[in-house]
Amino acid sequence: AVLCHQGNCDGSLINALDYQTGTLNWGARPLRPVQLQEAQSQTPAPPCPNVSEIYQSGGSPAFDQTNNLLIASANVIGDYGSCGTQWEGSVLVAYDANRKDNGGGVVKWRVGIGHPISQSSPTIASGVVYIGTDDGRVLAFDVLNKGTQIWDSYETLGQTTGAVISPPVFGYNRIHWNDANGQLWVVGMPSY
């Protein structure tokens, strides 16, 4: 889903609605990957008024019930000077899932990812978030250690697959995913 289209958007990656009234409780936007290098930066990516898209979400966010986090990914598209359509990177962000009046929507951690993510949704299992990339990798990040990357399927397989089009599924110490070539991949996971 394109999150900003010709200025007609609020730029939200996640909108949290009140379950009783349906009114917006809080909304959150991703951060540009270059800002991720600035540890203290909390500045969201501003909507770009004169371009068809600025950043896009590839799939649905994942809810980590154990840690009360919403985890979402987005591609950042455009450039600072002209608001063009150049891919700049991807970002994985964990938000506090509480109501706004109890800290909801606050960024708990975020990581820049040097691979495009436009189709796969994140999946959470046993404190690890898994996500597939358009260039054929599945990446794993430690939920409790501020999103530190702990695994890359390329290191195990020695190759990339087709674009990962499904959320990775974890079960029986194996990670499963489908790629754009119609192949199902099943990879045994090391212990963490």
Side-chain angles (χ1 to χ4, degrees):
V2 174
L3 301 177
C4 185
H5 184 69
Q6 298 185 6
N8 293 325
C9 65
D10 66 1
S12 292
L13 177 61
I14 293 175
N15 287 311
L17 306 180
D18 185 287
Y19 74 94
Q20 290 180 331
T21 66
T23 59
L24 180 67
N25 188 266
W26 58 264
R29 291 185 281 160
L31 306 175
R32 288 187 181 274
V34 295
Q35 290 177 321
L36 301 178
Q37 305 306 317
E38 303 168 14
Q40 301 304 315
S41 175
Q42 293 286 323
T43 306
C48 190
N50 298 314
V51 72
S52 61
E53 54 193 27
I54 180 169
Y55 50 86
Q56 65 184 157
S57 172
S60 300
F63 177 57
D64 180 353
Q65 186 172 6
T66 302
N67 299 296
N68 200 35
L69 297 173
L70 282 174
I71 300 177
S73 67
N75 272 331
V76 179
I77 299 168
D79 68 46
Y80 293 106
S82 65
C83 290
T85 57
Q86 179 180 353
W87 179 78
E88 293 182 359
S90 297
V91 62
L92 188 67
V93 187
Y95 300 96
D96 186 319
N98 285 314
R99 294 183 58 82
K100 185 175 184 176
D101 56 9
N102 197 21
V106 172
V107 174
K108 301 305 269 184
W109 55 259
R110 60 198 184 278
V111 292
I113 300 172
H115 305 278
I117 300 171
S118 67
Q119 299 181 68
S120 180
S121 298
T123 299
I124 302 166
S126 301
V128 178
V129 59
Y130 300 90
I131 192 154
T133 68
D134 294 1
D135 56 1
R137 295 172 184 248
V138 171
L139 307 173
F141 301 87
D142 187 334
V143 172
L144 295 179
N145 195 14
K146 297 186 178 184
T148 300
Q149 186 174 328
I150 55 177
W151 186 74
D152 181 339
S153 62
Y154 182 84
E155 296 167 2
T156 300
L157 298 174
Q159 68 179 50
T160 58
T161 68
V164 179
I165 60 172
S166 67
V169 176
F170 186 83
Y172 299 104
N173 204 36
R174 290 172 177 79
I175 190 81
H176 310 74
W177 70 90
N178 289 93
D179 70 19
N181 300 323
Q183 295 182 340
L184 171 65
W185 293 83
V186 181
V187 178
M189 298 297 294
S191 298
Y192 291 121

